[in-house]
Amino acid sequence: MQESKMMDFRKLEDVMKQPDDFSLVDKQENVVSNFMADLKHHQIDSGSALQMFLDHIPISSIPGIKNSPVVELNTEDRVKDAIHLLYEKNVSGAPIADVVDPDTIIGRFSDRYVGYIDLAGMVLWSLEECEKAHMQTRGTGGDENGKGSIFTMLEDNPRIGQAKVGELAKSYLWDPFFPVHLDDTLFHVLLLLSNHHRLQVVPVIDRSNFQGIGFVTQNAVIQLLLQSSGLEWFDSIADKTLSEFRFENEDRVDLVYGDESLAEALHNLRESRVGVVAVVNRENKKVIGCIRKSDVYLLLENNELLGDRKRLTVGEFIHTETAKENSDGTIERDLGALFAAGALQLRNNFRPKMDSPVTTKKSSTLKQAMKDLAQTKGCFCFLVNDEQQPEGLLTLRDVIIQFAPPCIDSNIHGGGFFESVLEQTGCQVKNGTVICDH
């Protein structure tokens, strides 16, 4: 771009560096005002207008990034050891590094990371593989006598327990690995979380040594977006009712009946694309709970649950979270986004209980749903009718998509955030390109 056609965004950067006694809303109001004023006097290319605004909201402004420890696995680690390590470190997932000779690495050191894997996925995969092995051999391992642990099962099935983490990529247990740096921006994060269907967290890498220092979670992004409540660009989207949007799973939800076995629910959970199944009453189909991938760690905490999974009903299982009875949720809610990354911990007392899932109706606004999810640190809410029967699912990704900027690549459909801001300047987005009327 020629220098004469570039907008002077230095003053926007100065605005974002104002003292902390300026709220994020105040800063964004100034950014929008300056952004609009500059657009009236300068011509910019189609890509720059899309990126400049959010490129002045740095990732470092997102609280809680370093709240969860970063535990690294590598492709040569054994499944049994990987599960044990993540369980002991109280983390739900880890980046996977390829095992290479450092002297042969070409390019950035971070290129050695090949994916991200979660503990629950490995546990569910191990259970299913062990049960297949049991059916083939008709043996009686720890998974059948009610006394064994997941580690006992993997010791009894060395083909499974000694499998390498790198081999699990073939079982679709890896998530893509797209790291960012602290000096990257919210624009980058929104694009990653909205355009990659399986990306749940964005790893943050220290630029100086390319070591992982934390994660940006979907919860943290929701918390940050809510700080813009009251601004026109935000409210024009968030004040719409859910019925005005089209969500990926708004007409379907994976479910099990409360009288079904936990083993059946775990199988359905592994098959679920979104990592949650609704638990409903067989008689009236009302929602009575849920089972999420984040709940699988309970099978590691309590060997009896694991051993009894074929006899224990789902309805009984969702009432087993006694450890959460004494937690003080008001403290967590008051601290807000500072604990958003805590969602990556296995033992999380502030996550909604299995028998108290977040629900909402399509007549509710997107903003109210966002507030409910932020307050409870939930990752989804069931869309229910007047009889409290589940009709669909709203995920954090569904919400984030509505605020993700459109991309200059017309094949990627963005949300309404930038479109709303640009309309205030006399511009509009057509096929991923910014068109200005002046």
Side-chain angles (χ1 to χ4, degrees), residues 92 185 319 377:
S92 60
T185 64
H319 295 295
K377 301 299 178 290

Side-chain angles (χ1 to χ4, degrees), residues 245-292:
F245 298 93
R246 178 64 183 174
F247 303 119
E248 184 178 8
N249 297 286
E250 67 176 350
D251 297 323
R252 64 180 300 274
V253 58
D254 300 319
L255 58 85
V256 295
Y257 293 112
D259 57 10
E260 291 188 78
S261 72
L262 174 59
E264 181 64 26
L266 294 175
H267 174 74
N268 290 348
L269 183 61
R270 184 171 184 237
E271 297 296 318
S272 171
R273 294 183 303 164
V274 293
V276 60
V277 293
V279 182
V280 300
N281 185 293
R282 186 179 291 274
E283 286 71 33
N284 54 27
K285 306 299 188 296
K286 288 185 177 181
V287 176
I288 60 175
C290 67
I291 299 181
R292 305 148 297 199

Side-chain angles (χ1 to χ4, degrees), residues 246-363:
R246 178 64 183 174
F247 303 119
E248 184 178 8
N249 297 286
E250 67 176 350
D251 297 323
R252 64 180 300 274
V253 58
D254 300 319
L255 58 85
V256 295
Y257 293 112
D259 57 10
E260 291 188 78
S261 72
L262 174 59
E264 181 64 26
L266 294 175
H267 174 74
N268 290 348
L269 183 61
R270 184 171 184 237
E271 297 296 318
S272 171
R273 294 183 303 164
V274 293
V276 60
V277 293
V279 182
V280 300
N281 185 293
R282 186 179 291 274
E283 286 71 33
N284 54 27
K285 306 299 188 296
K286 288 185 177 181
V287 176
I288 60 175
C290 67
I291 299 181
R292 305 148 297 199
K293 278 192 173 182
S294 57
D295 301 311
V296 170
Y297 88 96
L298 292 170
L299 302 179
L300 305 180
E301 300 270 87
N302 189 330
N303 292 339
E304 292 184 2
L305 293 178
L306 178 67
D308 290 339
R309 67 188 182 280
K310 294 186 178 180
R311 296 184 291 271
L312 189 71
T313 67
V314 177
E316 293 170 329
F317 177 70
I318 63 175
H319 295 295
T320 59
E321 296 176 293
T322 56
K324 292 187 178 182
E325 295 294 337
N326 297 324
S327 64
D328 186 354
T330 60
I331 296 176
E332 164 67 1
R333 288 192 293 271
D334 290 341
L335 291 175
L338 289 175
F339 279 86
L344 298 178
Q345 297 177 355
L346 291 179
R347 303 168 188 88
N348 188 332
N349 288 341
F350 303 108
R351 187 182 296 119
K353 295 178 64 175
M354 288 188 289
D355 60 359
S356 304
V358 183
T359 63
T360 191
K361 296 181 179 179
K362 290 186 177 181
S363 58

